Every structure is written in C-alpha cells, then in structure tokens.
Amino acid sequence: MIEVTGLKKSFGPKQVLRGVSASVEDGKVLSIIGGSGSGKSTFIKCVMRLHQPDAGSIKVHGRETIGYRSEVELADLRRQFGYLFQEGALFDSLSVAENVAFGLQYLTDIPQTRYRAVARDMLALVGLQNVEDLRPSELSGGMKKRVALARALAPGPKCMLYDEPTSGLDPIMSDIINDLILDLKRKTGVTSIVITHDMKSAFKISDTIVMLHEGNFLLTGKPDDFRASADPRVRQFVDGSANGPIKMKLRDLD
Amino acid sequence: MNIFSKAGAALLYAFGELGSAALMIRSAFFWAFHSKIEWRQSLIQCMRVGVDSLPVTTLTSFFTGMVLALQTGSTSQNIFNEPIFVGTIVGFSLVKELGPVLTAIVVAGRAGAAMAAELGTMKVTEQIDALHVLGTDPVRYLVIPRYIACMVMIPVLTVYAMFSGIFGGFIVSASKLHVPTNTYWDDILNYMQISDFMHGFSKSFIFAFMIATVCCYRGLSTTGGAEGVGKTTTRAVVVSMVLVLVLDYFSTAVLVALGV
Ligand SMILES: Nc1ncnc2c1ncn2[C@@H]1O[C@H](COP(=O)(O)OP(=O)(O)OP(=O)(O)O)[C@@H](O)[C@H]1O
Ligand SMILES: [Mg+2]
C-alpha cells in the first residue's frame, strides 16, 4: 500500500506539484496520465525519493517515509521499489547483460554464477534475445527501454514504478508490455504505479487512473469513470484532441 | 550589485560548496566502513589513473629533470667556472617539490578530468539515480574506488616521477655538462635523507585526496546536459590544479614546522 497525501514539489519558483494525493493498494495498478511537463515523473521520483518533496506525506506499507534523510533509511526505502526511468538510464560502460543483472548483487541472494541466465530470462520476457553482449549505445530507442525494464524487474521488486513503459514501442510490443505488467500483478502481486500517455494501455492495465493537470489531480477514478467523465478537460485528454479547454498549441502556422 | 555583496555571495557559494564536498567525504567514510569495497571497480580505476597518466608523467618529469640540470649546470659554470652540485639541486627539487606537484597536476589534468566528465555524464543521464534505484550508492560504487585509485596510484606515480626526473638530469649532466657519473649520484646520495623523501612522498597523499574529492564532487553535482558536463570538467581541473599549488605551500609549511 502506497499512500501519498498533500505532496508538494517546486523547482525554484515553479510549482510542479501543488498538494496531490493518491493511493494504491497492494497488488493493484495506479496509472497517472497528464500532459507533457505536468509533473508525472516528478511525482514518482518523489515517491522514490530521487527528489526531495517540499511537503506532504508518503506512506509505504503504513510507514511514513517523508522524514527519511540518512543514506541507510533511503536505501531501505528504495530497495522495496523497482523503477523504470523514462530515458532508460542504462549504464553505458556496461554490457546489456551486466546492466540487467546489476541490481541482483545488491538486492538479492542469487549467486553470481546465475546472473547471466537471469539476464537472459529477463530479456526474453521483454522480447529481446542475443543482445546480452551489446553495449547500450548499440541499441535502438525501444530496445533500450525494454532493457531498462528488464533491469528494473530482475531483482523481483514488490512495488514497481514505471515511467512510460510503452513509449517508443510499436503497438504489438506495447501490448506485450501491458500484458507483462498485468501478469506481474496477477502472478506475483506486484503493486504498480504506471505513467502513460497511451490511453489504450491505461484503460487495459489500470485499477485506478489519476489525471494530473496544473499541479493537481483533476480526476481519480476507475477506467470507466474516465470513459464516462463529462469534464471537458478529461474528455479532451482521453479523446486526444487538440481542440478543447487545455491549450497546448501556442501559435498558428501562418 | 556592489563589490561587497558580490564578494559576499562568492564567499557564501564557496562555503556552500565546501560543506557539500564535506558531506560527500563523510558519506565516503560511512560506506567504506559499512559496505563491501568494490574491488573490481577500484582496480579498473587504478589502471585508468596509473596507466593513462604514465606517459605524460614520464615526459613531464624527465624534461623537468633535464632542464633543471641544464640551468643549474650553466649557472654554476658561470659563477664557479665548473658545474657543481647539479645532482643535489636536481635531486632535492624533484624529491621535495616537483615530483609530487607535477605528478598531481598531470593526474588532475588527465585522470581528474576524465573522472569529472564521466561522473558528470552519468549524473545528467540519470545513471547516478539508477545506482540509487538498484540498491547501491554512487559514493559507494563510484567515489570510493576513485579515492582508492588516486590514493594508491598518485604516490606511486610520484615516486616514479622523482626517479625519472633525476634520470633526466643525469643524462644532461653526463652528456652536456660532462659531470662524472659518480659525482652526480654522490651529490644526491650524500645529502639526501629519508626524511627528505618522506616530505615529498607525504604531500602526494594530500594531493591525491584533494584531486579525488574535487573531481568526484564536481562530477556528482553536475547539472545541465552536455554543456554542464563541459563546464564541470573545466572547473574540476582548474580548481584541482590551483589547489595543488595552494596546498603545496601550506603542507610544506606544516611539514617544515614538524621538522620533516
Ligand atoms: N531537475 C529539475 N529541475 C528543474 N525543473 C525540473 C526538473 N525536473 C523537472 N522539472 C520541471 O518540472 C516540470 C515537470 O517535469 P516532469 O518531468 O515531472 O514532467 P512529466 O509530466 O514527466 O512530462 P513528460 O510526460 O514529458 O515526461 C517540468 O516543467 C520541468 O521543467
Ligand atoms: Mg516524464
């Protein structure tokens, strides 16, 4: 159970999160949708404490974590989570297999001799084979994303934070990743927070969806609440239309 | 903004940086005692610092030894009509001052720049955050191995530079100044004591600690993409080089006061 209440985060004068609250129960999937630059990545980075929140409360399995400051406390908090970075953040000095196996030595008791086999299995889960010995710089964008996903999942975390797991993937691969997220939920009870721009996958995988807009959660509800919502801003986002109350276009081509 | 508030702001900034660097040092001590040392990474870094800096160190110290011998020889030739105490001057200069200082400056420019740039790139591409996420810590995984590499390899390179400089001086004094071989070596060995060597050798540890601190700290506090990495690298190198000379004076003063 992850419970966030009144979370605030600013960068300098810019208020990105203005007191947002959301929670996800064990073994459920919470999706966060919202415009580009609305603060979705900032939200999960605050949960993972890669950013220091300004105010609010973040309870993980009933424990208040907002006051954690020391290296040991933060390390203990982070080891409960897996985290998929939006840009992958693969270690470019290591091979793909070493990247995928990286967390095993710090987060699991798996013996070193098994690392390569684990890496191969994890890569197969995300549809990759024969890439173990390549460097991250030799991979395509979508392949990097999937290697990063394999790396995040390899230590078998109880909670996963996904930053756009399907962005940059083709529609078939996207659906395979959606199924993977659902499989993890059903078979191992992984609790997930998923950031996505893709409404189709949000509807497919989510137990709850929240929409972030101008620093607040505009709507929290089940996928059906979003399908049925009458709020014009939610409608515009769900339908993916340029016309509506959310103005992203700043100028017309003349 | 008047000059006082500017100076005040600069002072505040400098103290802020010092404080953050001190936090990194504290964290390094913490992880050094509370986790396994990453020996593989340490070895890789030792190779980088040692092997990469070896050619430049050789050239720098060799030519410095040569020019010292030439200057000493020609000056004493003018004054005393013969080149005297060439070995003594070359030996003492290299062992007490130039060996440690030149090595530190070369390593700061070579390995220090590489460290700052590598850690800076890892910071701006979120690889540092990825270390936190995957159960380790950047100080533990990246900084401690670099401390080990600097603290081991810079003193080794320093001793090597002392010898290579003295050898350069020997070549010049034998071939150009026609000082007899025995005279050159006797001039060194008759006056040099183990404490003179310790004087230079102990300074190399101080420089090593400082270079590792400055370059790792600057690397880990990089912001702002590729441009930021460039700025960080330049800053790290300039600060290290200046601090080598500043610390050299103060550590010499302390060592002299202690009688080393
Ligand atoms: N380290 C930072 N320093 C300063 N500002 C930042 C930083 N990180 C994010 N921001 C700002 O915070 C806002 C939210 O960024 P965030 O990355 O959370 O957006 P996002 O919702 O994930 O967008 P996207 O869908 O494009 O990934 C942006 O306006 C960004 O400029
Ligand atoms: Mg984002």
Side-chain angles (χ1 to χ4, degrees):
Chain A
M1 175 93 175
I2 305 167
E3 264 181 295
V4 179
T5 5
L7 184 68
K8 289 187 184 166
K9 176 71 188 171
S10 309
F11 292 106
K14 181 172 193 158
Q15 287 187 305
V16 177
L17 300 173
R18 305 182 183 182
V20 296
S21 305
S23 68
V24 51
E25 280 169 36
D26 287 341
K28 299 283 184 198
V29 178
L30 170 75
S31 291
I32 305 176
I33 61 173
S36 184
S38 58
K40 305 180 295 299
S41 300
T42 305
F43 179 83
I44 60 170
K45 281 186 181 168
C46 285
V47 173
M48 194 71 177
R49 290 298 288 281
L50 298 173
H51 285 325
Q52 174 65 34
D54 298 335
S57 143
I58 302 171
K59 286 198 179 123
V60 179
H61 304 308
R63 280 254 196 87
E64 180 58 71
T65 66
I66 205 87
Y68 288 2
R69 288 291 185 282
S70 74
E71 274 113 344
V72 176
E73 282 172 328
L74 289 174
D76 281 345
L77 167 69
R78 289 177 186 133
R79 63 175 49 237
Q80 305 176 44
F81 291 94
Y83 188 104
L84 170 66
F85 286 90
Q86 187 167 3
E87 311 287 346
L90 297 176
F91 301 120
D92 41 27
S93 58
L94 302 178
S95 73
V96 166
E98 288 169 325
N99 261 287
V100 175
F102 191 90
L104 300 178
Q105 56 177 315
Y106 302 106
L107 299 169
T108 69
D109 300 325
I110 297 172
Q112 194 142 18
T113 46
R114 296 252 310 116
Y115 285 2
R116 207 177 156 83
V118 173
R120 194 170 338 104
D121 290 350
M122 294 314 300
L123 287 167
L125 267 188
V126 295
L128 290 170
Q129 59 180 356
N130 298 330
V131 295
E132 287 92 337
D133 296 314
L134 299 181
R135 295 269 151 177
S137 56
E138 296 170 291
L139 302 176
S140 76
M143 286 162 91
K144 279 186 196 147
K145 195 75 191 235
R146 286 183 282 156
V147 172
L149 182 56
R151 181 178 75 177
L153 295 173
K158 291 304 292 169
C159 305
M160 266 302 299
L161 307 174
Y162 301 90
D163 201 338
E164 304 193 10
T166 59
S167 73
L169 302 183
D170 63 76
I172 302 172
M173 205 60 232
S174 295
D175 205 46
I176 291 175
I177 300 298
N178 289 337
D179 285 340
L180 176 61
I181 294 173
L182 286 175
D183 270 354
L184 284 166
K185 165 184 156 176
R186 291 198 197 105
K187 293 187 184 144
T188 52
V190 172
T191 311
S192 310
I193 300 181
V194 184
I195 294 176
T196 184
H197 283 301
D198 175 0
M199 289 314 299
K200 192 169 151 245
S201 66
F203 285 142
K204 177 167 177 174
I205 61 178
S206 313
D207 295 296
T208 314
I209 303 179
V210 294
M211 179 167 165
L212 185 57
H213 181 63
E214 292 179 345
N216 291 300
F217 284 148
L218 199 59
L219 175 63
T220 305
K222 301 199 176 322
D224 283 336
D225 300 335
F226 273 77
R227 287 196 188 93
S229 172
D231 187 315
R233 292 167 298 183
V234 176
R235 280 259 59 79
Q236 186 191 353
F237 200 88
V238 170
D239 298 340
S241 162
N243 303 313
I246 305 176
K247 298 285 179 226
M248 291 198 188
K249 189 172 183 179
L250 299 177
R251 168 175 176 271
D252 278 316
L253 188 66
D254 27 46
Chain B
M1 219 167 40
N2 69 31
I3 187 150
F4 290 109
S5 58
K6 259 188 194 162
L11 206 65
L12 275 182
Y13 175 76
F15 277 114
E17 293 277 280
L18 264 178
S20 315
L23 283 181
M24 188 194 77
I25 296 173
R26 197 194 65 169
S27 170
F29 275 106
F30 174 82
W31 287 113
F33 291 110
H34 288 84
S35 66
K36 282 203 303 249
I37 302 282
E38 302 269 355
W39 290 116
R40 209 175 89 89
Q41 290 301 314
S42 307
L43 203 69
I44 295 174
Q45 290 307 318
C46 281
M47 295 294 282
R48 292 223 186 124
V49 173
V51 177
D52 287 1
S53 312
L54 195 65
V56 209
T57 309
T58 312
L59 281 175
T60 324
S61 53
F62 193 74
F63 275 95
T64 306
M66 294 206 317
V67 80
L68 274 175
L70 195 58
Q71 292 282 22
T72 320
S74 65
T75 308
S76 59
Q77 178 89 53
N78 287 344
I79 301 176
F80 305 112
N81 256 332
E82 59 170 328
I84 53 168
F85 289 129
V86 177
T88 320
I89 300 225
V90 171
F92 271 79
S93 312
L94 277 159
V95 167
K96 294 187 86 165
E97 276 303 322
L98 294 173
V101 169
L102 286 178
T103 308
I105 286 183
V106 164
V107 173
R110 190 77 176 70
M115 280 180 205
E118 188 182 7
L119 298 198
T121 308
M122 291 184 75
K123 177 73 193 309
V124 300
T125 55
E126 295 186 315
Q127 292 177 55
I128 298 290
D129 284 340
L131 288 172
H132 281 304
V133 165
L134 291 167
T136 182
D137 185 282
V139 171
R140 174 182 166 190
Y141 186 78
L142 300 169
V143 175
I144 291 177
R146 283 162 176 78
Y147 266 115
I148 292 176
C150 285
M151 298 294 281
V152 172
M153 295 318 282
I154 292 181
V156 170
L157 283 170
T158 299
V159 174
Y160 169 78
M162 293 172 183
F163 279 108
S164 119
I166 289 173
F167 185 68
F170 167 70
I171 301 273
V172 168
S173 70
S175 66
K176 259 189 95 80
L177 305 171
H178 308 296
V179 177
T181 306
N182 281 342
T183 315
Y184 182 81
W185 294 113
D186 286 346
D187 277 349
I188 300 179
L189 296 174
N190 288 346
Y191 301 102
M192 181 91 55
Q193 273 159 8
I194 194 79
S195 67
D196 295 313
F197 170 76
M198 290 316 289
H199 180 105
F201 192 58
S202 54
K203 285 199 284 193
S204 71
F205 287 95
I206 298 172
F207 299 153
F209 189 81
M210 183 277 294
I211 291 172
T213 306
V214 169
C215 295
C216 290
Y217 170 68
R218 284 253 60 100
L220 289 182
S221 51
T222 306
T223 51
E227 192 192 354
V229 174
K231 275 190 192 151
T232 268
T233 312
T234 319
R235 260 248 196 89
V237 172
V238 172
V239 170
S240 310
M241 287 184 177
V242 171
L243 279 185
V244 166
L245 299 174
V246 174
L247 282 180
D248 185 41
Y249 175 77
F250 287 106
S251 52
T252 303
V254 171
L255 288 171
V256 167
L258 291 175
V260 180

